[in-house]
Amino acid sequence: MKKQYKIPPKPMAPTAQDQARWEHSGLRHRLLTGVYEEDIYRELYRHLPADRVDNQGPADMSSNPFEQVTRQLAVLYTEPPIVTHEDEQADISSLVSRKGYVTRSGLFQMMQRGQQLALGMREVIVKIDVVPHVMGSRPRGAGIQYRIVTPDFVYCESHPDSPDQPVYYQELRLRTSASGEPMWIADVLDIRNEEDPIFGMYKVEADGSLSSDVSEEFMGHATHRGFGDNGYPYLDGDGVPFLPLEIYRAEKTGQLWNAYDNAPLLWGSLSSNVLYSMWHHSVLQSAWPQRYIAGLQLAGMSGQDLNSTARRATVTTDPTSVLVFNTDQDMQGQPMIGQFEAGVDPEKLLTAIAQYEYRVATAGGISPSEIQRTSGDPRSGYSLSISRQGQREAQRKFSAVMRAADERVMSKTASLCNRFLGEQLPESGYRVSYQSLPLSPEEMRAIREDVIQKLNAGLISPIDAIQMLNPDMDEEEARMKLNQIRRERAEFL
């Protein structure tokens, strides 16, 4: 029989501040990945007495504005970005062509999910590595591997002069020992002292402290330290150590972490689950009129399930039945037959919850004019949708901060390709531009006619025209595009 191992509890963070950040970021992560049922129950117990929660039944997880809004705003990588170099003569095809390392690794496809995590958790880390991790060996596979790491497993320290750039990186990972037992290991990258950089793996104790060095067991060799044969592997072309990772942010704040921002959308989303749980319970338990009798007994009733807590007395009826009531001998006064109104109006309650969700979405920073309901029914709480124009505005809003991270990833990837894969790529000067969401035929026609009229009237230059047709291009990229068009027209027309 195969031996079963129990996964040890997640260790504490190195500081109380980071522990609080881990817990909050973990909540955001669970809502974004659909494993938040226990969080809904905690929210139910926070709002309602325990007996009401126990009587209410299963939690309703059918709506999640936090996930819906962040998913619809994360459209920057719907189409793969265009990567160029400031030097038009530079050959970067081995990096970004169809068979290039970045393309084959699926970085930009992965970033469709990565951007949503960055918007929801405020930061997300993209880790860069070489496969296999052997200097001078060309791998059979893609060569470069990217991995998304969420900040609820990461502890970092930054340089005082650059508080938003980490120089110490500690990632908590669950690994399996040689005996098959799972254990928490910290991957540590430390360039606080550039003269003595460190990359190693260490066992993590329950209190978050690092204990034994387990690099030999999990990496096959001792901790990389300093320079030389077993020195720190992540060096640029000038021999300067760097961290093979990049933090993608929802916005640049100048701080290392911004974990608590945009919290109204998070807590409002959980509260909407509480309200939908109440609506679901109300529909099942109290959405019909309740009939009653006083001073009467229905004749012909028989007992059902007498040995269970659900025991009851029933009588079978159909449209032709005539019910016979006997007067209760203990009744003093006139017997009564009546009906209470339904305890809840499901339609009105659902409308109120939908309006609450709408308010939650606007509290998350979405313009009310950009939120629409795809069904056209204001009572539908399951159709929050952001208009195409709202998504394009989100692209423009997030492109600046994401572009800076993408360009640094390109530079670091080029350094790794040069050092480990024998390439001769430039290690700086990369430019990343994003493709806007497709326009409707009517919108494209209107923009094209406007550009042509202004160009013919001498009101704009060809560079202005290219930028109007490609809003994410800057002047230099537009100039490069025009030169490319001129060369290709001369060659092929």
Side-chain angles (χ1 to χ4, degrees), residues 94-359:
S94 63
L95 189 67
V96 296
S97 68
R98 178 170 293 185
K99 294 184 179 181
Y101 294 113
V102 172
T103 306
R104 286 189 293 167
S105 70
L107 170 64
F108 296 129
Q109 290 84 353
M110 184 180 70
M111 283 306 299
Q112 293 176 7
R113 179 63 165 168
Q115 189 192 4
Q116 182 187 6
L117 290 171
L119 298 184
M121 303 182 72
R122 311 308 295 170
E123 295 94 12
V124 74
I125 298 99
V126 171
K127 185 78 167 52
I128 317 167
D129 214 336
V130 179
V131 181
H133 183 66
V134 180
M135 190 178 301
S137 172
R138 184 177 292 275
R140 295 180 181 177
I144 295 293
Q145 176 179 295
Y146 300 96
R147 179 170 56 88
I148 290 178
V149 183
T150 53
D152 50 327
F153 287 88
V154 173
Y155 168 76
C156 287
E157 295 179 12
S158 59
H159 192 281
D161 295 336
S162 301
D164 61 345
Q165 294 298 316
V167 291
Y168 176 87
Y169 175 85
Q170 179 178 312
E171 179 190 346
L172 200 61
R173 302 186 70 181
L174 192 63
R175 296 180 181 272
T176 304
S177 67
S179 62
E181 184 176 357
M183 57 192 301
W184 287 103
I185 302 299
D187 293 2
V188 175
L189 292 151
D190 185 358
I191 59 170
R192 288 173 294 186
N193 180 2
E194 290 190 353
E195 301 301 321
D196 188 28
I198 298 171
F199 170 39
M201 297 183 182
Y202 302 85
K203 184 178 179 182
V204 185
E205 302 298 334
D207 62 357
S209 61
L210 303 184
S211 57
S212 55
D213 186 337
V214 292
S215 302
E216 284 279 1
E217 180 176 355
F218 291 102
M219 293 199 301
H221 50 73
T223 296
H224 293 289
R225 185 157 195 159
F227 305 94
D229 293 339
N230 193 43
Y232 185 80
Y234 305 112
L235 307 174
D236 64 17
D238 297 325
V240 178
F242 64 89
L243 297 183
L245 56 96
E246 189 58 45
I247 300 179
Y248 283 74
R249 308 178 187 277
E251 63 179 326
K252 186 174 178 62
T253 62
Q255 302 298 318
L256 193 56
W257 304 115
N258 183 33
Y260 302 98
D261 205 7
N262 208 20
L265 180 59
L266 170 73
W267 296 116
S269 186
L270 280 173
S271 293
S272 74
N273 286 122
V274 172
L275 296 176
Y276 275 115
S277 298
M278 177 183 175
W279 180 82
H280 191 269
H281 170 71
S282 299
V283 169
L284 292 176
Q285 302 295 334
S286 61
W288 64 86
Q290 177 64 55
R291 298 178 178 87
Y292 66 86
I293 60 174
L296 296 172
Q297 291 183 349
L298 184 60
M301 299 181 71
S302 59
Q304 300 287 332
D305 298 326
L306 298 179
N307 295 324
S308 74
T309 56
R311 58 184 178 274
R312 60 200 179 278
T314 64
V315 61
T316 303
T317 65
D318 63 37
T320 64
S321 300
V322 176
L323 298 179
V324 177
F325 291 91
N326 297 323
T327 303
D328 191 337
Q329 299 298 322
D330 298 328
M331 175 65 181
Q332 301 295 324
Q334 182 68 27
M336 292 184 295
I337 299 178
Q339 173 177 290
F340 295 116
E341 292 186 2
V344 67
D345 184 335
E347 187 174 324
K348 289 183 178 179
L349 181 56
L350 184 60
T351 299
I353 296 173
Q355 291 173 344
Y356 176 80
E357 277 198 325
Y358 183 89
R359 187 175 70 86

Side-chain angles (χ1 to χ4, degrees), residues 14-25:
T15 69
Q17 181 180 9
D18 283 286
Q19 180 62 30
R21 177 179 61 80
W22 278 11
E23 292 173 1
H24 184 79
S25 296

